[in-house]
Amino acid sequence: DAGVIQSPRHEVTEMGQEVTLRCKPISGHNSLFWYRQTMMRGLELLIYFNNNVPIDDSGMPEDRFSAKMPNASFSTLKIQPSEPRDSAVYFCASSLDWSPNYGYTFGSGTRLTVV
Amino acid sequence: AQSVTQLGSHVSVSEGALVLLRCNYSSSVPPYLFWYVQYPNQGLQLLLKYTSAATLVKGINGFEAEFKKSETSFHLTKPSAHMSDAAEYFCAVARGGNKLTFGTGTQLKVEL
C-alpha cells in the first residue's frame, strides 16, 4: 500500500493566485480529513468527508477555501484567492471508517508558501 | 468538549534515559486517546491508541502509554531513549466520531 499520497509536496505561489492541493487516500478508507499545521495554531481540522460526503466544514477558515471529494480515491483542497497568511503545511489523512477505534494515516503534507 | 493538554513543549533526555511525555485530557465521556509522532518534513504517524480496552497500551518503537482515569492522564513513556526517537510527539483525543483534536505537541530532543 502506497499510503496517503499528497501532491504537490511544495507549492510557492503569489498572493491572489488559485492553489489546488490534492490527496489520494488509502484504498478502502471511507473517511478523509484535511488538516492545516502552523507554528501559531498547531494542527487544525479544516474539513472531513465520510463516504465522499462532506460532513463538517466548520474548520474552513474562510469562503476562499473549498474542498471536494468527487470519488473515493481523490480529494482536493482549493484556496482562491490565496493570501500570505494561508502559508502552512496542509495534511490529508484517511481512516478506515467513522469509528474512533481507528487512527488516521497521514500523507506527507503539502508545504504552501504564499508570497 | 474533549481536548488534550500537553505539558512541556520541549523535553530533552540523554540517550538511554527514560522518556516521559505528558498528556492530560478533558472529556465528559470515556475518551479515545492517541499518540502520534512527527519526524521532520513528514506527516504524523500513529504510535498507539487507547480505545477503552487495556489501560496500558503498547505501541510501536518501544513506546507505551497508561490511561489513568483518576488523573485524567495518558502519558507516553519509553524506558530507554534512542537518538532516532528525536521528533515531535502529539497527543490527540477523538470527538464526535473520528474527529481528532490534537495537543500542541512536545519536541523531544535526545542527547548523547
Side-chain angles (χ1 to χ4, degrees):
Chain A
D1 194 333
V4 176
I5 299 173
Q6 291 188 247
S7 64
R9 286 297 309 273
H10 302 273
E11 177 79 36
V12 180
T13 190
E14 292 185 348
M15 182 174 63
Q17 296 298 307
E18 176 180 298
V19 176
T20 299
L21 312 180
R22 297 172 175 79
C23 175
K24 176 179 170 55
I26 290 175
S27 178
H29 280 195
N30 295 322
S31 296
L32 183 139
F33 307 81
W34 282 100
Y35 278 82
R36 178 171 68 175
Q37 185 178 36
T38 61
M39 290 291 290
M40 292 297 294
R41 301 175 69 90
L43 281 154
E44 303 173 278
L45 176 63
L46 300 178
I47 185 171
Y48 64 92
F49 296 82
N50 198 47
N51 293 322
N52 312 336
V53 176
I55 303 300
D56 184 353
D57 65 355
S58 60
M60 298 285 260
E62 300 172 35
D63 291 345
R64 298 183 295 106
F65 287 70
S66 62
K68 294 182 180 180
M69 192 165 186
N71 57 61
S73 59
F74 185 66
S75 177
T76 59
L77 178 67
K78 183 180 294 185
I79 309 172
Q80 165 65 20
S82 58
E83 297 183 4
R85 58 195 168 117
D86 302 330
S87 297
V89 180
Y90 291 81
F91 288 105
C92 174
S94 69
S95 184
L96 190 60
D97 68 18
W98 188 235
S99 167
N101 285 315
Y102 305 102
Y104 297 172
T105 301
F106 279 82
S108 298
T110 295
R111 182 174 296 276
L112 174 65
T113 304
V114 183
V115 298
Chain B
Q2 288 96 327
S3 66
V4 290
T5 301
Q6 291 185 243
L7 299 175
S9 58
H10 292 82
V11 170
S12 184
V13 300
S14 299
E15 191 174 35
L18 171 72
V19 175
L20 171 61
L21 304 182
R22 299 177 187 273
C23 174
N24 288 89
Y25 68 89
S26 169
S27 176
S28 58
V29 297
Y32 290 82
L33 295 161
F34 305 79
W35 275 100
Y36 283 81
V37 60
Q38 185 178 29
Y39 298 100
N41 300 314
Q42 294 187 26
L44 282 74
Q45 179 183 1
L46 180 64
L47 272 179
L48 50 82
K49 60 185 177 185
Y50 169 74
T51 57
S52 64
T55 56
L56 182 62
V57 182
K58 294 188 183 297
I60 62 172
N61 302 338
F63 284 93
E64 61 182 38
E66 186 172 8
F67 174 74
K68 291 187 176 180
K69 185 177 179 180
S70 61
E71 299 177 7
T72 61
S73 68
F74 190 57
H75 301 331
L76 182 71
T77 60
K78 182 174 181 177
S80 176
H82 191 271
M83 295 296 290
S84 61
D85 295 327
E88 189 157 20
Y89 292 80
F90 292 89
C91 182
V93 62
R95 57 183 177 91
N98 203 3
K99 291 192 298 184
L100 294 189
T101 296
F102 288 88
T104 52
T106 298
Q107 189 73 44
L108 176 65
K109 182 179 180 181
V110 182
E111 300 174 319
L112 287 172

